[in-house]
Amino acid sequence: MRRWIKVSVAAVAVLGVGGYIAEPHVQDWTLAGSACDGALPRAAVDALAPKDSHLDEEKSRQVDGLGYYSCSLTAEGDDVRDERLVEMEAFTRRDDQDREFMAVFADGGFAPQGRLPDGLPGFVDEFGSVQLLLPCPDLGKDAEGRQRKLLVRTTLGSQTHVGVPGAAYRTAVALANKASGKLGCGAERISVPERDVPLAMPGEDDPKPVPLSRAKGTPCAWATRADLPKDLDWRMEVNANDAGPTGRCDLYTTPDDTHSRLSLAAWYGDWGNRLLGDGIIGKPPFATATARCHGEAANYALSASDDTPGVSKAAKRRMLKEFAEDQTARRGCSTPRYSF
C-alpha cells in the first residue's frame, strides 16, 4: 500500500467520475481490487508490482464441469518484458493434477524445488511457481476411493519484486483459499506464515548448503543422527516441510563442490509412482523405498553423483533408510519397503 492506496484515496476525493476513470493510480486500485474475484491482497500487489509501473488488465475463468479456475493480473509492458504480475491456475481433477506434477518433475522426480514455510502444504517448483495441494472434503472421493484434492499453482512475473518478504506467500495463500471456495472444495483455510520471508527460488544462489548442524529442527534433521562418514565436510540444503506433497534433503560432501552431492527425495500421492525413472544425473536412483500414506502411495529415493568419494554403498543405503523412516514417522505412514 505504499503508493496506490494513498494516491487513490486522494484522487477519489478530488476527481469527478471521468477523472476517476482516467487517473492511472485509481485504475491500479480498481484492477487490484477486482482481480481474481477480489482475492488479491492489495498491499501484496503493490509490493510485487514493478517500480513505476501501472496495472493493465485482469482476467478470470471458471469451468465447473472441469473443476478449473484461473485468474491473472498484468502490468503495463512492452514486447520484451514479461507483463504478467500474477497468474494462477487451480485444478480439482486428478488427471489435471497428475499432468501438472509430471510437467514439474519430468527429470525422474529430481527437478529442483524450494521449501515453503512450515505449515503450507506445497513447494516452490523449478520455475518459481508456488504449488499448493489441499484436500477437498466437500468433493468426496474419486472413483478409486482417494480423497479429492485441489492443486493451485501461483506464478509471479519475471519483473515482479519476488524478494519482497511475505508478499508472494500472502498472494499464493489468498488465491488458494479463493479457488477452494470457487470450486466447491471446502478445504480448511490456510494461513500465511507469521514471519515474513522472501520466496525461496530453486536454483538461485541463496539458500546455499549450510553445515549439517543447521538441519536440526527441520525435516532433514535425520541426517544429524545418521552416522555419516566422519572424515567428510558434510553440508545440507533443506528443501522440505512436513505438509507438502514432495520434499528434498540434499547432502554435499564439500563446501563448494555442488556437483558432489547426494539427493534424497520424497513424493506423496499415487502420481509419484510414475517418477522413478532417471535421477539427477540421467540414470535411475541408487536406491528407492515405498510406503502407504493415508490411502495413497509414498515414494522415496536416493540419487548420487558419481564423484562422492568416501561414501560407500552401505552408507548410501543407510541414508535412505534413515530418511524414509523419519519421513514415514512424521506423516503417519506404513513401514517403508526398500529396493537396493
Side-chain angles (χ1 to χ4, degrees):
M1 294 188 292
R2 296 187 307 275
R3 59 181 187 274
W4 295 344
I5 293 178
K6 294 178 181 178
V7 174
S8 298
V9 170
V12 171
V14 300
L15 296 176
V17 174
Y20 174 85
I21 297 300
E23 174 62 40
H25 292 293
V26 177
Q27 180 173 309
D28 292 338
W29 171 267
T30 303
L31 286 173
S34 60
C36 299
D37 295 287
L40 287 175
R42 280 196 173 96
V45 172
D46 190 30
L48 293 170
K51 186 178 180 181
D52 298 326
S53 69
H54 291 289
L55 300 183
D56 180 56
E57 185 181 31
E58 62 91 8
K59 294 181 180 179
S60 63
R61 182 183 179 215
Q62 182 171 349
V63 185
D64 291 331
L66 298 179
Y68 176 80
Y69 174 63
S70 68
C71 66
S72 64
L73 180 63
T74 58
E76 295 174 349
D78 51 37
D79 293 337
V80 177
R81 199 181 81 178
D82 182 1
E83 300 175 8
R84 176 181 55 194
L85 182 66
V86 178
E87 183 178 81
M88 181 273 284
E89 286 191 290
F91 316 90
T92 60
R93 294 199 312 176
R94 180 74 62 148
D95 288 347
D96 294 330
Q97 295 169 8
D98 289 354
R99 184 182 65 250
E100 177 73 13
F101 283 130
M102 290 303 108
V104 170
F105 293 105
D107 187 18
F110 283 89
Q113 58 180 274
R115 174 187 181 184
L116 289 184
D118 292 341
L120 290 185
F123 63 101
V124 183
D125 67 29
E126 67 173 319
F127 308 108
S129 299
V130 177
Q131 302 267 7
L132 294 170
L133 186 67
L134 291 72
C136 294
D138 289 355
L139 295 181
K141 296 184 178 181
D142 64 15
E144 298 183 32
R146 302 171 299 189
Q147 173 65 59
R148 293 184 63 187
K149 299 176 182 178
L150 170 69
L151 179 64
V152 183
R153 182 187 71 237
T154 300
T155 306
L156 305 177
S158 62
Q159 296 297 315
T160 62
H161 299 311
V162 295
V164 177
Y169 298 125
R170 287 194 295 273
T171 300
V173 165
L175 292 179
N177 288 331
K178 172 60 72 172
S180 174
K182 296 287 287 185
L183 296 175
C185 170
E188 183 176 344
R189 291 182 66 83
I190 53 176
S191 302
V192 297
E194 293 183 2
R195 182 173 62 90
D196 283 345
V197 292
L199 181 65
M201 297 288 285
E204 298 290 317
D205 293 334
D206 198 21
K208 296 178 181 178
V210 298
L212 196 59
S213 60
R214 297 271 297 276
K216 291 182 179 179
T218 74
C220 299
W222 60 269
T224 65
R225 311 182 296 270
D227 192 26
L228 303 180
K230 299 293 192 297
D231 56 341
L232 297 175
D233 185 11
W234 290 101
R235 302 292 174 112
M236 170 69 77
E237 187 173 337
V238 179
N239 287 310
N241 67 20
D242 286 333
T246 180
R248 281 266 295 272
C249 297
D250 290 338
L251 284 160
Y252 299 86
T253 57
T254 57
D256 301 316
D257 185 3
T258 57
H259 296 291
S260 182
R261 77 181 186 196
L262 300 100
S263 293
L264 295 104
W267 308 283
Y268 293 95
D270 290 345
W271 60 273
N273 291 335
R274 300 165 55 189
L275 287 179
L276 299 180
D278 294 339
I280 60 174
I281 51 175
K283 64 181 182 181
F286 172 80
T288 62
T290 60
R292 298 293 295 177
C293 295
H294 309 292
E296 292 199 53
N299 287 275
Y300 310 94
L302 180 150
S303 190
S305 55
D306 290 328
D307 52 350
T308 50
V311 184
S312 66
K313 291 183 178 179
K316 292 176 183 177
R317 294 189 185 105
R318 187 169 65 250
M319 289 182 206
L320 179 63
K321 289 190 69 174
E322 293 278 358
F323 174 67
E325 289 174 6
D326 181 78
Q327 284 283 306
T328 52
R330 286 172 176 271
R331 300 199 180 217
C333 307
S334 67
T335 301
R337 300 175 63 183
Y338 298 95
S339 177
F340 293 140

